[in-house]
Amino acid sequence: MNLQFLADGVVMGALIGLGAVGVTLSYSILRFANFAHGEFIAWGTYMTLVLTTAISTLFGGHTGTIGPLSFGWPLLVAGVAAAALTGGLAVALDRLLFSKLRSKGNAIVMVMASFGASMALRSLLEFIFTSRPAYFTRDIQMAVPAGLGIRLTPDQFFLIFLTMIIVVVMDRFLSLSATGRAMRAVSENPILARVAGVDVERVIRATWIIAGILATASGVMLGVTVQIRPFMGFDLLLPLFAAAILGGIGSMSGAMLGGLIVGVAEAVAVQIVGADYRAAVAFLILIAVLLVKPSGLFGVRE
Amino acid sequence: MILDLITYGAFFLVTALSYGIICLGLNVQWGQTGLFNVGVAGFVAIGAYTSALLTTPDVVERFGGFDLPIWIGWISAAFVSGLAAAFIGVITLRLRADYLAITTFGIAITIQLVVLNAITITGGPFGIGFIPRPFSGLQEHPLLFNLANLSLVCGITGGVYYALERLIHGPWGRVLRAIREDEAAAASLGKNAKVFRLQAFVLGSAVMGFAGAIQAHFIGFIAPENYLSAITFQVWAMLIIGGSGNNRGALLGAILVWALWSITGAALGLIVPAEYQARAAALQIVFIGIGLAAILVVRPRGLLGEVTKVSRVLIDR
């Protein structure tokens, strides 16, 4: 049996997992399901695309590629800058919209506002870039054997490696840094955290910035392996929510594992029923989790 | 000229009122009960496709076409949409409020996939045509045809409006609002919040499916692209701008937003060159999105907000 689909599922799962970590963090700390998270993914990717093009043009297009990878250093530099900008976008959206609703204390109105914001942000991308897909590179890469009859492209190797680094860094950050501990405190109990002297506003800003960074990472991965479209984030949103709930809201490792499960399940479903119903897999997983164990694999509350 | 204008006016109002009925359904869920349904498009689609399947004439290449009378199609549409809502509701309404939003979002995407890919049932991307239209005998006279349909839709809207008003101002509606405001207090009076939420969710979705069927029969043709998330978003904008919690607000919002949508659409069509039409349409959605968010921040009540009254007896005194 050809296990190639598993490899594609793992790459997809890694990027779903990165997005889901952002969703689960903002969900547990800000206490609402942010429907605009998909738009952070799309905006981060498009900003990376614009910056990559700008840098390459600046250097006369002679930036080359890194070893066997399909892209050069401009993509990495642009990705880091775009991640920061996306974090800024998330903070700005919070200032303009969510912070004003937060004081009224109705979480579901914030969900609705995020839904409106996502529609506006997505359509704005469509207005600027049209719905035609864009690509970081049009080169076709040769896949190299990775054992068990699976072949991976150098890009895929790199992205899996990058995901692992991000996960380790995030884990260390959340468990060791002062900001990380403050974030976990607010997620456990915001009132108690405030009483204990945690600067909740700062924690909220940090959460948005991290969500924006992770969203950009996940979007650029999707852009490198598949393509860039204004709807790319919207189409990822259901898998992200499914992964975050499967892992248990608030659990970072849960979200990552949930992302891998959703990614691989989608790849398996494509093998069995074809690609047409791929997007329904996340929905079925979501329904199954809500039926069997609504708190998810590593969830604590409820 | 003046006749054309009346014909267009009637056509416009039929469409706007069919959105108005969807808004009335959403108002039961959000306005009265505080349930956030992100899958409006899905429930409308279920209604439209159910009725289309039941009432279209038999076709060879596709399952069904049962050639049943229109009214059977409409009632079944409401029933099947309600059934789908019951399935979703039983699973999610016992959990935290956002899960309903996420799950309804999921079902709308799944239904979109099914109507797009289950070609033998739904016609796939080409949709279903030849859906019987009410008063089809009058089709040679556009004016009469549109006016007849307008009076039919007006009658139905009035009927749905009246029925919902009676329900909402009766004991049932009071329990819904009590649960929305303070679930613990309502529970202490022996009201089972889960059951009431489920009832409101199913009723609202059934109304949406019913409205979807009416729309499908008035246009005579349906395709998956009519049921993208943009429609969910439009209906939400209508309800929030008109005033959630108020059925008159829901209808006013529907007519107002649909008018704005049609006017800006027509204006962009005239001004913007053909190759930029898709971009202009995207810009329309940007403005509605900003408008929706702004209303939530600045005037959450909408134009006609909810009338707070505890009981008819207290007001009258």
Side-chain angles (χ1 to χ4, degrees), chain A residues 23 26 32-43 86 89-90 93 97-98 110-122 208 211 215 233-234 237 240-241:
Chain A
V23 165
S26 54
F32 77 100
N34 177 20
F35 274 76
H37 196 83
E39 271 47 66
F40 296 162
I41 292 178
W43 274 77
T86 309
L89 173 74
L93 191 62
L97 189 58
F98 299 133
M110 295 182 50
V111 180
M112 188 190 293
S114 76
F115 184 64
S118 91
M119 205 78 192
L121 284 172
R122 175 167 65 254
W208 282 121
F234 180 82
L237 200 54
L240 296 191
F241 280 135

Side-chain angles (χ1 to χ4, degrees), chain A residues 24-113:
Chain A
T24 212
L25 280 180
S26 54
Y27 201 154
S28 65
I29 291 171
L30 305 155
R31 287 171 201 277
F32 77 100
N34 177 20
F35 274 76
H37 196 83
E39 271 47 66
F40 296 162
I41 292 178
W43 274 77
T45 316
Y46 271 99
M47 287 199 271
T48 310
L49 178 68
V50 169
L51 290 173
T52 311
T53 318
I55 296 174
S56 302
T57 318
L58 207 63
F59 285 84
H62 302 303
T63 45
T65 56
I66 306 170
L69 301 180
S70 71
F71 48 84
W73 61 267
L75 180 80
L76 298 180
V77 175
V80 171
L85 285 174
T86 309
L89 173 74
V91 172
L93 191 62
D94 184 74
R95 277 278 164 75
L96 279 173
L97 189 58
F98 299 133
S99 67
K100 303 215 161 95
L101 299 168
R102 194 154 46 230
S103 49
K104 292 175 190 155
N106 192 343
I108 207 74
V109 173
M110 295 182 50
V111 180
M112 188 190 293

Side-chain angles (χ1 to χ4, degrees), chain B residues 7 22 31 34 40 55 58 63 75 77 90 103 131-132 159 181 203 205 210 241 253 257 266 269 281 295 298 305:
Chain B
T7 308
I22 306 179
V40 176
T55 57
D58 194 16
F63 167 79
I75 291 173
V90 166
T103 321
I131 302 170
E181 297 302 328
L203 174 66
S205 299
F210 181 61
I241 289 172
V257 171
I295 288 261
V298 181

Side-chain angles (χ1 to χ4, degrees), chain B residues 294-308:
Chain B
I295 288 261
L296 285 178
V297 173
V298 181
R299 194 181 161 85
R301 271 170 55 87
L303 293 175
L304 305 177
E306 185 175 359
V307 184
T308 36

Side-chain angles (χ1 to χ4, degrees), chain B residues 271-298:
Chain B
I271 302 166
V272 182
E275 66 263 38
Y276 296 114
Q277 289 288 336
R279 285 187 159 189
L283 206 56
Q284 249 184 318
I285 297 182
V286 175
F287 287 133
I288 287 216
I290 295 173
L292 178 65
I295 288 261
L296 285 178
V297 173
V298 181

